[in-house]
Amino acid sequence: RGRLFHEGWIREVRGQVAPSRWTDQEPPLDHLLADSLLPDVVYLQLASGEVGGWPAFGQVLPTLVEKGLVDRDRTLTVALEQLTAGQKPSAQKALAGVLTALDPSADDVDGGLDLLLSILSSCHASALAPVLDLAIGSVRTGEDAVELARVVAPRAQKNVRRTLLKVLAPDALGTGV
């Protein structure tokens, strides 16, 4: 019953707001901000596996967080948890957009490097960049760097390995690793 309600709410919001137009203008949020169910629906949308159907979802989050309508830490936690849940590639891409929109630091990630390594080991390529940035920021020791390299090295994406090699380069090692 809750899922049907949630799907209906999202369908109604999608009908009122044209996410495809959000890319070139500020999202029209007035009707969303007035809805008392907003926080619950945001968290449900993130956890539903259907967030990929609304890729511009991440664009609206900074405003919701800024206005205090949605808790940033909870939103970040839900997005990271969902990246470990084997979501569809489109949902993972949207979740990566949420991470990008929230602009977290490594210290904001409750599960730390272990959680990020778990995500990196199985996430879709479209979600790699923001998770890798967080993982790199979470490296505190040489052992952490080795673990990160072990997880990233088998990935097929060359740009991910290049990014890691730049960070692990001898001239960069004294600056954070």
Side-chain angles (χ1 to χ4, degrees):
R1 181 175 197 142
R3 184 169 174 87
L4 290 176
F5 171 79
H6 173 245
E7 289 172 0
W9 196 94
I10 291 298
R11 229 183 347 269
E12 181 178 330
V13 169
R14 205 178 284 148
Q16 294 176 15
V17 179
S20 60
R21 291 193 308 242
W22 289 5
T23 56
D24 58 357
Q25 65 184 15
E26 212 34 49
L29 298 175
D30 293 341
H31 67 283
L32 275 174
L33 300 179
D35 195 325
S36 63
L37 296 174
L38 175 69
D40 295 329
V41 174
V42 167
Y43 305 131
L44 284 170
Q45 178 70 10
L46 286 172
S48 71
E50 301 300 324
V51 71
W54 196 5
F57 191 69
Q59 294 175 356
V60 75
L61 286 176
T63 303
L64 299 177
V65 169
E66 180 183 304
K67 292 183 178 288
L69 298 168
V70 175
D71 182 72
R72 181 183 181 277
D73 293 339
R74 182 173 175 197
T75 304
L76 177 62
T77 298
V78 171
L80 288 168
E81 286 172 355
Q82 291 307 304
L83 282 169
T84 66
Q87 297 279 6
K88 296 181 271 189
S90 62
Q92 289 188 37
K93 183 177 181 177
L95 290 166
V98 169
L99 295 182
T100 301
L102 294 177
D103 193 27
S105 70
D107 293 333
D108 293 331
V109 179
D110 285 337
L113 185 59
D114 290 337
L115 173 65
L116 296 168
L117 291 175
S118 174
I119 295 168
L120 284 171
S121 69
S122 62
C123 71
H124 187 264
S126 63
L128 277 173
V131 179
L132 181 60
D133 288 345
L134 288 169
I136 289 169
S138 297
V139 171
R140 303 285 183 250
T141 67
E143 290 83 18
D144 290 350
V146 168
E147 276 305 305
L148 180 58
R150 282 185 186 151
V151 170
V152 172
R155 299 285 315 211
Q157 298 79 20
K158 290 179 187 175
N159 62 335
V160 173
R161 291 194 303 265
R162 274 191 224 119
T163 299
L164 186 61
L165 286 173
K166 278 185 205 173
V167 172
L168 297 179
D171 59 332
L173 284 175
T175 62
V177 177

